[in-house]
Amino acid sequence: DRNALPAPDHQPVTEYTPPRTPREEKLCALFAETLGLERVGIHDNFFDLGGHSLLVTHLVSKIRAAFGVELPLGTLFEVSTISGLAERLDQAEAAARPTLRPGPRPEVIPLSFAQSRLWFLNHLEGQSPHYNLTLALRLRGALDRDALEAALADLVERHESLRTVFPETAGTPRQLILDAEIARPILAVAATTEAELPQALNMAASRGFDLAVEPPLRVDLFVLAPRDQVLLLLIHHIAGDGASLGPLARDLATAYAARSEKRAPVFEPLPLQYADYTLWQHALLGNEEDPESPVARQLEYWKKALHGLPEQLELPVDRSRSPVPSHHGDTVAFEITPEVHQGLLMLAREQQASLFMVLQAGLAALLTRLGAGTDIPIGSPVAGRSDHALDDLIGFFVNTVVLRSDTAGNPSFRELVDRVRAANLDAYANQDLPFERLVEAINPTRSLRRHPLFQVMLALQNAGTLSLDMPGLTIVPQPMSSSAAKFDLALILTESRGQHGGSAGIEGTIEYSTDLFERKAVEAIATRLVRLLESATATPDQPIGAIDILDAAERRRVLAEWNDTVR
């Protein structure tokens, strides 16, 4: 029971209060199911119990299905207890969106909006590896290759997205779902050594896909020893996203366990397939010519929200932009301690914000201090799985939103979190508009030199670690280095939780363009971000301009060494 957890991992929680009405009882069940708890009291705070932005989306979807109402995402940030939420349900509008379920399919199935963006990029760049999604696993033990090949075939049969190709007619692509036997993956086996493994993995991951004819899943097995092998699953992003790796791993493990016992796997039937989602998405957004349609309303919101957006964020780069970027990149790792992590969570609760919002405020404050100005656009991925029927599907649902942070007037860090919270909640309420349509509507000056609308990406991963349980095998993730950069800077933060769900620190990675930055410069950015967050959580009411981001040596260099006026 999470209500019994001691400090300091959590702020004091209320004494368990059971539900009093059928509505509260149903909400308690939905909270517990979403958070993975046995029970939840009506006065327990959703975020105190481990809730975060992604789980808010899941909970809103469950509430929509259970009560038939459309609850704005911001409601959970304003009222995060069951007792308060029960009252808000009376004020919520009836769900107007079409029900997500399988239906008749037309002869020509269009691409989803997210797929259209990637298809265009693939068409423009050729068979580029920039949008390959990798899952590398170290397998130690007795691997049954026949069972693995059969399990991969089961996986492709279960998920249509893994056997879909995208031929075009007169420049317009469509989804063509292949028969499972035709799309059965071939397990490519190669012997290698430990020293050769990194290069072998990178070479396999750098091969692009011909989306018109080639299924978007490729599988390689690298054999280091009879009981030591590495499995690489390569998926083009058009068929999967980060949240797809959970269902993929779970279904592959289920199928392998069955096939190793010479039997067919028994799966819980999927409620729908990706093509069904595509048709639903087109129906949901409607026609832009209709001013009352969701797509027209969201388009109008974004035009106002991003009016006057800077064409380019002035970052502290080491080199000028190349006319045609190479997209070569490297990464710098850093850590946020459990103590600072706890401080970030406490500040988020005090401001009724999410951890992501506090981290975004920290990044925006740092970029302002580094000379990027006071209008800071940051890109962020949103899961796009707005209905719980999509939870177990492999597919490309993620969208990108532009989160604009206003740091003008030297606000306190606490005030900046409030500004970020208000802007983000409005953005999340309009997150269905495809990013590529947003770019067309805003129509910034097009240039190959930079990413449109934003050049810095921020992502927080807190969906838990990926785990596979396959008989006879010990399985751990196999690290892979990344040599590509889609943005000037991309910060990927991974939150860790302790045994009882308490703060255990945040692991960070900055992926940067080597066209623009030297490694030392990015290491300095990482160090200063950590230092800023430490200071901001300790004294959140100080102005962001007063937060010290220099260490003692840097301060001495600026004030003394660079200010030496002997000659």
Side-chain angles (χ1 to χ4, degrees):
D1 184 357
R2 296 289 290 274
N3 296 305
L5 292 180
D9 283 339
H10 292 277
Q11 288 195 335
V13 294
T14 56
E15 183 178 350
Y16 174 72
T17 305
R20 297 166 297 196
T21 66
R23 174 174 290 181
E24 289 179 347
E25 186 173 353
K26 184 63 176 177
L27 284 172
C28 282
L30 296 179
F31 267 57
E33 180 184 351
T34 302
L35 294 165
L37 303 177
E38 291 186 8
R39 68 176 188 177
V40 175
I42 63 171
H43 298 306
D44 291 336
N45 186 289
F46 179 76
F47 297 102
D48 287 350
L49 296 178
H52 50 73
S53 299
L54 181 59
L55 290 181
V56 167
T57 303
H58 288 176
L59 181 57
V60 167
S61 170
K62 294 178 188 295
I63 290 174
R64 181 190 306 119
F67 295 98
V69 298
E70 195 63 47
L71 201 65
L73 289 175
T75 303
L76 265 295
F77 290 93
E78 299 168 0
V79 181
S80 48
T81 64
I82 289 168
S83 59
L85 195 59
E87 298 177 5
R88 288 293 186 95
L89 288 181
D90 290 329
Q91 307 164 17
E93 298 180 2
R97 59 170 55 196
T99 303
L100 178 52
R101 62 165 64 100
R105 294 184 181 180
E107 184 176 345
V108 175
I109 302 174
L111 275 62
S112 71
F113 294 111
Q115 286 181 325
S116 296
R117 178 170 79 250
L118 285 191
W119 181 87
F120 173 77
L121 291 171
N122 187 267
H123 204 66
L124 180 69
E125 301 175 7
Q127 297 180 29
S128 168
H130 295 150
Y131 294 94
N132 286 351
L133 185 67
T134 59
L135 177 59
L137 303 168
R138 191 76 174 240
L139 313 178
R140 291 189 171 94
L143 174 66
D144 185 338
R145 289 189 193 171
D146 291 337
L148 177 59
E149 288 186 300
L152 290 167
D154 294 327
L155 184 70
V156 166
E157 182 176 9
R158 177 167 169 79
H159 293 275
E160 290 181 354
S161 57
L162 297 180
R163 49 187 170 95
T164 299
V165 294
F166 304 89
E168 60 175 293
T169 303
T172 301
R174 62 188 176 96
Q175 294 188 53
L176 177 61
I177 301 166
L178 302 178
D179 182 79
E181 191 59 36
I182 295 175
R184 183 186 180 102
I186 298 173
L187 182 64
V189 181
T192 188
T193 65
E194 195 72 49
E196 297 168 340
L197 180 62
Q199 183 179 2
L201 287 171
N202 286 335
M203 286 184 62
S206 64
R207 291 163 49 212
F209 289 85
D210 184 350
L211 296 179
V213 296
E214 185 181 1
L217 171 65
R218 191 181 298 138
V219 187
D220 290 273
L221 183 68
F222 298 96
V223 181
L224 294 95
R227 297 177 62 86
D228 188 5
Q229 304 172 68
V230 173
L231 180 68
L232 175 65
L233 293 102
L234 189 68
I235 306 171
H236 193 282
H237 231 320
I238 204 167
D241 52 23
S244 297
L245 296 182
L248 184 150
R250 185 169 57 250
D251 290 347
L252 181 61
T254 299
Y256 180 84
R259 292 300 179 180
S260 63
E261 297 176 355
K262 311 302 181 185
R263 58 180 178 84
V266 178
F267 291 115
E268 186 74 24
L270 291 173
L272 69 161
Q273 293 285 349
Y274 190 84
D276 301 311
Y277 159 77
T278 300
L279 299 173
W280 171 84
Q281 183 191 48
H282 284 269
L284 170 68
L285 291 178
N287 192 325
E288 290 183 24
E289 303 301 321
D290 177 8
E292 297 302 316
S293 68
V295 67
R297 292 199 302 267
Q298 293 196 22
L299 198 55
E300 187 62 27
Y301 162 79
W302 284 110
K303 287 179 179 178
K304 293 179 180 177
L306 300 183
H307 178 70
L309 192 76
E311 289 279 356
Q312 177 178 302
L313 201 57
E314 296 303 325
L315 300 171
V317 298
D318 296 299
R319 289 180 285 274
S320 59
R321 295 181 182 274
S322 170
V324 180
S326 70
H327 296 293
H328 291 161
D330 201 355
T331 58
V332 165
F334 64 97
E335 292 184 358
I336 297 172
T337 66
E339 293 75 21
V340 177
H341 181 194
Q342 176 66 9
L344 295 167
L345 291 171
M346 290 179 63
L347 181 59
R349 284 193 289 265
E350 290 170 4
Q351 304 310 118
Q352 292 185 293
S354 68
L355 173 63
F356 176 86
M357 295 172 185
V358 179
L359 292 166
Q360 180 190 331
L363 177 58
L366 177 66
L367 293 176
T368 292
R369 293 290 305 277
L370 296 178
T374 59
D375 188 354
I376 310 294
I378 295 173
S380 180
V382 289
R385 296 175 185 250
S386 57
D387 193 292
H388 66 89
L390 304 174
D391 292 349
D392 294 327
L393 277 187
I394 296 173
F396 186 37
F397 301 95
V398 71
N399 193 20
T400 302
V401 293
V402 184
L403 303 174
R404 196 173 185 178
S405 303
D406 175 16
T407 63
N410 196 24
S412 70
F413 190 73
R414 189 187 300 276
E415 181 185 346
L416 180 56
V417 171
D418 288 342
R419 293 184 186 182
V420 167
R421 174 184 177 275
N424 283 18
L425 290 180
D426 286 342
Y428 293 151
N430 294 275
Q431 63 175 279
D432 298 315
L433 185 73
F435 179 75
E436 66 279 358
R437 183 65 192 94
L438 176 61
V439 174
E440 292 174 8
I442 302 299
N443 195 26
T445 302
R446 301 303 176 94
S447 172
L448 293 176
R449 293 172 179 260
R450 59 176 178 266
H451 191 274
L453 302 184
F454 67 90
Q455 291 81 50
V456 177
M457 171 71 80
L458 176 63
L460 175 63
Q461 300 175 345
N462 45 19
T465 57
L466 192 67
S467 62
L468 279 88
D469 184 13
M470 297 166 70
L473 294 169
T474 300
I475 304 175
V476 295
Q478 173 66 38
M480 286 186 63
S481 60
S482 173
S483 59
K486 302 183 184 72
F487 311 99
D488 294 358
L489 295 172
L491 284 80
I492 298 94
L493 307 176
T494 303
E495 183 185 21
S496 298
R497 292 285 185 163
Q499 183 179 1
H500 299 296
S503 52
I506 298 173
E507 294 182 358
T509 299
I510 302 181
E511 182 184 275
Y512 65 94
S513 167
T514 53
D515 290 351
L516 299 175
F517 293 95
E518 295 286 351
R519 184 176 184 84
K520 282 188 176 181
V522 181
E523 289 173 343
I525 290 174
T527 300
R528 288 169 179 165
L529 176 62
V530 173
R531 188 177 296 127
L532 183 147
L533 293 174
E534 289 173 349
S535 179
T537 52
T539 53
D541 293 309
Q542 66 177 318
I544 60 172
I547 299 175
D548 199 354
I549 62 172
L550 302 179
D551 62 23
E554 289 174 322
R555 179 168 292 280
R556 183 174 59 255
R557 189 179 309 124
V558 171
L559 295 182
E561 296 174 18
W562 289 356
N563 204 34
D564 187 349
T565 57
V566 172
R567 59 189 178 95

